[in-house]
């Protein structure tokens, strides 16, 4: 049986447009931060979709494969490899958003954080420190996200699963008790620059708490729990 023809819309990539070949589409989006694309079964659907905002199209519920490796999740991966909301989910998260999370091996220990664009699961930034805490990582991830969205003039929200980090960002200060010494000097310099950014920059980005109980692990989770 011949493979069914599909048409791919690229909203954000090297060259936005409609492509009738997956390899051509992939060339436009692979390696592009925040790439936005989706496949359709007909040219008519693709032509209609490209006239709409990407955020209104990716909510199409098409697919049942879970995202979170067997864990309960409100998100699924559709047949085009895109993140979608599981059918029937009440009060679902916004998909056109940036998710941030941190992980730490020990407390303190090696710490890292990342920002993930939810629809494509594209990592848009990542940072690693040899000594830090999870709360510090969560705080820095949000600030990094705010800076990234402002720099690129992107009107998206940020999801974090850390109540403490969201509170610290709103207070414009990292309230960690991690000692400032030779082993943490570089990290604390980074923290102070993040605090300074919060004090000297205005932003309209909305920061929302990721509802882990209803939606499963945040898409930026490192999967080490």
């Amino acid at each position: 049986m011949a493979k069914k023809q599909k048409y791919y819309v690229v909203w954000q990539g090297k060259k936005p447009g409609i492509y009738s070949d997956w390899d051509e589409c992939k060339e436009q989006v692979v390696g592009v931060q925040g790439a936005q694309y989706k496949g359709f079964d007909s040219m008519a659907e693709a032509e209609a979709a490209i006239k709409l905002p990407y955020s209104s199209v990716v909510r199409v519920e098409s697919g049942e494969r879970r995202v979170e490796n067997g864990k309960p999740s409100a998100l699924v991966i559709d047949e085009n490899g895109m993140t979608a909301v599981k059918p029937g989910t009440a009060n679902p998260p916004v998909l056109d958003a940036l998710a941030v999370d941190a992980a730490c091996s020990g407390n303190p220990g090696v710490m890292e954080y990342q920002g993930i664009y939810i629809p494509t699961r594209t990592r848009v930034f990542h940072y690693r420190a040899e000594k830090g805490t999870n709360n510090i990582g969560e705080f820095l991830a949000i600030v990094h996200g705010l800076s990234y969205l402002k720099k690129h003039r992107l009107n998206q929200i940020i999801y974090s699963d850390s109540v403490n980090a969201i509170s610290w960002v709103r207070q414009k200060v990292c309230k960690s008790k991690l000692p400032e010494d030779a082993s943490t000097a570089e990290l604390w310099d980074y923290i102070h620059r993040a605090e300074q950014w919060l004090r000297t920059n205005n932003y309209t980005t909305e920061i929302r708490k990721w509802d882990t109980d209803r939606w499963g692990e945040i898409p930026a989770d490192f999967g080490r729990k």
Side-chain angles (χ1 to χ4, degrees), residues 138-149:
E138 300 276 11
F139 168 79
L140 291 174
I142 297 175
V143 181
H144 197 148
L146 292 171
S147 174
Y148 173 86
L149 294 178

Side-chain angles (χ1 to χ4, degrees), residues 35-57:
Q36 299 176 351
Y37 60 98
K38 183 174 175 61
F40 297 88
D41 292 331
S42 70
M43 176 61 80
E45 289 178 307
E47 290 176 339
I50 201 169
K51 298 176 183 177
L52 300 171
Y54 175 74
S55 59
S56 70
V57 176

Side-chain angles (χ1 to χ4, degrees), residues 158-217:
I158 292 178
Y159 279 111
S160 169
D161 62 7
S162 173
V163 173
N164 283 339
I166 294 173
S167 174
W168 291 359
V169 168
R170 288 173 177 164
Q171 296 175 67
K172 305 182 189 302
V173 61
C174 177
K175 295 188 174 182
S176 174
K177 296 181 180 180
L178 181 71
E180 293 190 53
D181 55 31
S183 67
T184 61
E186 184 176 345
L187 176 62
W188 271 105
D189 177 66
Y190 192 51
I191 292 169
H192 294 321
R193 283 188 283 128
E195 293 172 329
Q196 178 66 12
W197 189 94
L198 290 172
R199 289 192 295 267
T200 57
N201 282 271
N202 295 319
Y203 58 87
T204 58
T205 302
E206 183 179 358
I207 304 169
R208 296 186 187 179
K209 171 69 170 62
W210 182 265
D211 192 337
T212 305
D213 290 338
R214 289 193 300 169
W215 303 335
E217 297 294 351

Side-chain angles (χ1 to χ4, degrees), residues 59 67 74 200:
R59 292 190 177 89
V67 170
T200 57

